[in-house]
Amino acid sequence: MASNNHRRSSPDTNGSHSISKKPKLSAPSSSAITVSEIESEFSHHDGSVARINNGSFGSCPSSVISAQHKWQLKYLRQPDHFYFNHLKPAIDNSRSIIKDLVNAQHLDEISIVDNATTAAAIVLQHTAWCFREGKFDKGDIVVMLHYAYGSVKKSMEAYVSRAGGKVIEVPLPFPVTSNEEIVTEFRKALEMGKTDGRKVRLAVIDHVTSMPCVVIPVKELIQICREEGVEQVFVDAAHSIGCTDVDMQEIGADYYTSNLHKWFFCPPSVAFLYSRKNPNTAGAGDLHHPVVSHEYGNGLAVESSWIGTRDYSSQLVVPDVLEFVNRFEGGVEGIKKRNHEAVVEMGEMLAKAWGTHLGSPSHMCASMIMVGLPACLRIHSDSDALKLRTHFRDVFEVEVPIYYRPPRDGEVEPVTGYARISHQIYNKVEDYYKFRDAVNQLVDNGFACALLSN
């Protein structure tokens, strides 16, 4: 966690640079944020919408938006002065805070990038170079989870497959009942990858899968990778920081990325990429940003800090975000705990109301959980799921992603549709009651997805 020697650096409207010591991670109860203050911080949200989808785009409080605006004005007031005197120190300050938050050992292990998609491109680009330059043999293996994020799968196609690597997807059950189910399938995939003397060069493991959402036992899977001789491990943890426990020394990955705009209240978009110092790993330290600037060759952190003229303000407000989360009892740890407890409670309430079930046990979710929808809604395809999501938005003013699970052979009246609900500090129980009542109304009216137009 961040130590107390970080400084909050925020420009005032006159262009000067005020500096004060960063508050502690756990706010004293006497200064804890109030309910009315939380409402004020998120008053820019559309109050007519039950926004139970923090997982997709995150949320940013007004105080952080204000801090971002000051950085933007500071740049626009005198861009040359900003570039030569303020940008690099401010980015390094944010990197230093992230380093301590995730328990990295060295500052140069932390790079700030746009989002987890960019980080995945950086790592997989490096893997592709290893294939093209002969460090890896054609046909060597890269393993990924079947529920990997769509853009990561596309990056696999764009980089790894085109360079001669073979990609093996780990099939995962859903609904899932235990970590052991995931571990078993992962071991099978590694065993398959090592047939005919091939080597597994990289494992890409989600920390929290996106859709369906499940917390993956990353530490156990990485330990298996080490035992089985997998050369490198990349954890795609787009949802993790601010949502579940993130500790680089405990997790032990070679590469790890997480967005800061999803669950850590930064404005969009900003993420970090951790690259562990390890001189014994093939190609270690040879990561490069896919957007090449004049900083190429100065290390990934420096390359990422300048990829041309653009708005860097979302990367500079990490100290202000930390100050915001410290207004809550227990800081970010307290927020994570309360969000987890609340989303489990709301998920169980919805499942009981609809006579369905959750997609995973409570210990396999963080601040999001999958809730089965009534089978009578007849969700028969990904297209049905998307149309139903649009229907909830347009007719009921409920924003929630819907997942389609193909039925298994022999299932009778299976639950094939699941809602992924999120809980963040701005949510109220009424948001989930609104969703509950919307589904009940559809059921009472004899609705089925086939009634929705294309």
Side-chain angles (χ1 to χ4, degrees):
M1 304 303 289
S3 59
N4 293 334
N5 59 357
H6 289 302
R7 294 183 178 273
R8 179 175 179 271
S9 179
S10 179
D12 62 28
T13 56
N14 295 319
S16 61
H17 213 63
S18 59
I19 296 177
S20 60
K21 286 188 177 180
K22 181 194 74 64
K24 294 182 179 180
L25 278 171
S26 181
S29 58
S30 60
S31 63
I33 192 169
T34 65
V35 172
S36 63
E37 287 172 332
I38 295 174
E39 292 175 350
S40 176
E41 287 279 10
F42 296 96
S43 60
H44 52 282
H45 286 188
D46 186 343
S48 66
V49 176
R51 182 170 164 166
I52 51 178
N53 181 31
N54 191 84
S56 284
F57 298 105
S59 51
C60 184
S62 293
S63 57
V64 175
I65 294 172
S66 177
Q68 180 188 28
H69 186 55
K70 289 179 180 179
W71 280 113
Q72 291 168 329
L73 288 179
K74 188 176 183 67
Y75 164 73
L76 293 170
R77 183 177 294 112
Q78 224 293 35
D80 298 80
H81 182 72
F82 180 85
Y83 172 76
F84 285 106
N85 295 283
H86 294 291
L87 180 59
K88 185 180 185 302
I91 288 179
D92 285 348
N93 191 26
S94 292
R95 290 174 56 219
S96 183
I97 291 173
I98 295 167
K99 167 188 168 291
D100 286 353
L101 282 171
V102 304
N103 194 25
Q105 290 188 320
H106 307 282
L107 183 59
D108 55 6
E109 292 178 322
I110 300 295
S111 302
I112 297 181
V113 296
D114 281 345
N115 48 49
T117 300
T118 303
I122 291 170
V123 173
L124 296 179
Q125 173 185 251
H126 168 65
T127 303
W129 288 339
C130 287
F131 278 107
R132 292 188 184 278
E133 295 169 358
K135 297 175 183 176
F136 298 164
D137 294 331
K138 301 289 186 180
D140 279 350
I141 305 300
V142 174
V143 170
M144 68 186 305
L145 304 187
H146 174 65
Y147 293 131
Y149 192 58
S151 66
V152 176
K153 288 190 173 185
K154 289 295 185 181
S155 288
M156 283 284 193
E157 179 182 336
Y159 292 110
V160 176
S161 297
R162 288 185 64 184
K166 178 178 173 58
V167 178
I168 293 179
E169 291 191 14
V170 182
L172 297 180
F174 185 81
V176 61
T177 60
S178 69
N179 286 332
E180 286 69 29
E181 291 178 279
I182 297 172
V183 169
T184 298
E185 293 299 329
F186 191 76
R187 285 189 181 278
K188 289 179 183 177
L190 291 185
E191 184 177 334
M192 180 188 305
K194 292 164 64 177
T195 58
D196 300 324
R198 295 177 298 184
K199 294 183 179 180
V200 181
R201 298 296 188 171
L202 177 70
V204 180
I205 303 171
D206 299 73
H207 198 159
V208 182
T209 57
S210 176
M211 188 68 95
C213 65
V214 177
V215 176
I216 301 296
V218 288
K219 287 186 282 188
E220 188 167 356
L221 297 191
I222 291 172
Q223 181 59 39
I224 292 170
C225 287
R226 302 308 182 201
E227 294 169 357
E228 297 297 326
V230 176
E231 191 156 329
Q232 296 176 327
V233 180
F234 169 46
V235 177
D236 175 13
H239 288 275
S240 289
I241 191 166
C243 182
T244 191
D245 294 339
V246 180
D247 186 310
M248 295 303 95
Q249 304 314 306
E250 290 187 2
I251 292 171
D254 298 289
Y255 312 115
Y256 187 104
T257 186
S258 182
N259 292 313
L260 282 80
H261 56 263
K262 285 187 180 288
W263 294 98
F264 196 64
F265 303 106
C266 282
S269 60
V270 57
F272 75 89
L273 173 57
Y274 164 83
S275 175
R276 185 176 64 169
K277 276 192 168 183
N278 184 356
N280 297 320
T281 300
D286 196 29
L287 298 182
H288 294 283
H289 199 285
V291 178
V292 178
S293 76
H294 59 265
E295 296 290 2
Y296 181 83
N298 292 327
L300 179 63
V302 177
E303 290 182 15
S304 301
S305 68
W306 182 257
I307 55 172
T309 301
R310 50 159 296 181
D311 184 0
Y312 291 89
S313 60
S314 61
Q315 302 182 11
L316 310 182
V317 295
V318 174
D320 303 277
V321 172
L322 189 58
E323 181 172 306
F324 173 75
V325 300
N326 286 343
R327 294 167 64 189
F328 291 80
E329 183 179 355
V332 68
E333 298 299 323
I335 292 172
K336 288 191 303 186
K337 180 176 183 294
R338 289 186 290 274
N339 280 338
H340 170 72
E341 292 172 349
V343 83
V344 170
E345 181 182 356
M346 292 299 97
E348 291 174 343
M349 179 273 294
L350 293 173
K352 181 177 180 181
W354 300 332
T356 61
H357 55 262
L358 301 179
S360 69
S362 61
H363 70 271
M364 297 183 73
C365 77
S367 301
M368 303 182 292
I369 199 166
M370 305 296 291
V371 186
L373 293 167
C376 62
L377 297 181
R378 299 288 187 256
I379 302 169
H380 292 324
S381 65
D382 290 331
S383 176
D384 283 349
L386 183 59
K387 288 188 290 184
L388 183 57
R389 176 179 181 175
T390 301
H391 191 66
F392 283 130
R393 179 190 305 123
D394 294 346
V395 177
F396 296 101
E397 296 184 307
V398 174
E399 191 60 64
V400 62
I402 308 298
Y403 173 70
Y404 166 66
R405 180 191 71 85
R408 302 185 183 98
D409 291 342
E411 284 187 304
V412 179
E413 289 295 306
V415 172
T416 57
Y418 290 79
R420 187 192 75 184
I421 65 169
S422 300
H423 190 281
Q424 186 51 287
I425 56 173
Y426 56 79
N427 283 121
K428 299 179 180 180
V429 67
E430 288 78 14
D431 296 329
Y432 305 92
Y433 289 163
K434 188 174 184 179
F435 182 36
R436 176 199 64 189
D437 295 345
V439 172
N440 287 342
Q441 182 178 327
L442 293 179
V443 172
D444 292 344
N445 292 343
F447 170 91
C449 285
L451 299 173
L452 295 175
S453 59
N454 291 323

